[in-house]
Amino acid sequence: MAKAEVLRRFTEEESSEALWLEMWDELSAGTALEVHGVELVSVDDDTIVLSMPMGPHALQPFGLLHGGVSMLLGESAASMHAGWKVDVRERVPVGIEISGSHMRSATEGMILVRGRVLRRSRMLIHHEVVIEQAESGKTLSVIRVTNLYKQLG
């Protein structure tokens, strides 16, 4: 399905976890999400959970999870979730601020990305995203992201 068709369906059909799970591969095709093997685990009005397997694509030269990949995961979770129940033909979420704290790193296993809305207004949405190592449950990074709803046209 062409990207324009995917975005049309994404916008016109009522947002639901089932729809997002069904469309995830098409939405992430040709993006950094696809390159890093990021999958949607769950989504609702206040949260989104993604997963990513560790591998060479996510490592820095010392064999640890690359901090930039953690930031990419945080930005991706928040920005995708900011599109939940938004008509992207009228306005789109664009990241305007991101900050993060890296506490630990990982070398293997599955990475879980848990984003939650801190505050939502007409023009802005703020998320906190916790990156954790799935097997140990240990927090690797905490990322804060603000998206602006940019009007189109």
Side-chain angles (χ1 to χ4, degrees):
M1 187 179 308
K3 195 64 123 184
E5 175 64 15
V6 172
L7 290 174
R8 182 196 62 74
R9 279 192 60 217
F10 181 71
T11 295
E12 291 179 355
E13 295 185 30
E14 184 175 336
S15 285
S16 69
E17 184 177 65
L19 175 65
W20 276 44
L21 287 166
E22 175 189 325
M23 296 182 69
W24 183 258
D25 288 342
E26 295 170 275
L27 286 169
S28 61
T31 71
L33 297 172
E34 180 182 47
V35 170
H36 290 286
V38 177
E39 294 293 332
L40 175 65
V41 176
S42 64
V43 62
D44 61 31
D45 288 348
D46 297 314
T47 62
I48 186 168
V49 179
L50 306 176
S51 66
M52 181 195 77
M54 280 296 295
H57 62 90
L59 297 176
Q60 44 94 306
F62 299 108
L64 304 171
L65 175 62
H66 194 293
V69 172
S70 293
M71 297 300 278
L72 175 131
L73 292 169
E75 168 87 17
S76 297
S79 294
M80 286 300 292
H81 190 260
W84 177 258
K85 296 187 177 179
V86 171
D87 187 340
V88 294
R89 295 169 300 183
E90 295 178 11
R91 61 188 191 141
V92 294
V94 294
I96 61 170
E97 184 175 37
I98 184 170
S99 64
S101 299
H102 304 302
M103 294 158 211
R104 291 183 183 85
S105 196
T107 58
E108 60 186 13
M110 187 64 69
I111 304 300
L112 286 179
V113 183
R114 299 178 190 278
R116 70 180 178 93
V117 175
L118 295 174
R119 184 172 187 275
R120 181 182 331 212
S121 68
R122 191 175 58 81
M123 295 297 293
L124 299 172
I125 185 167
H126 307 272
H127 282 86
E128 178 181 72
V129 181
V130 176
I131 313 286
E132 63 185 49
Q133 207 277 342
E135 290 80 5
S136 71
K138 291 186 177 180
T139 297
L140 306 176
S141 298
V142 178
I143 316 272
R144 289 156 305 283
V145 180
T146 301
N147 277 279
L148 167 73
Y149 288 112
K150 182 177 180 175
Q151 293 297 129
L152 299 177

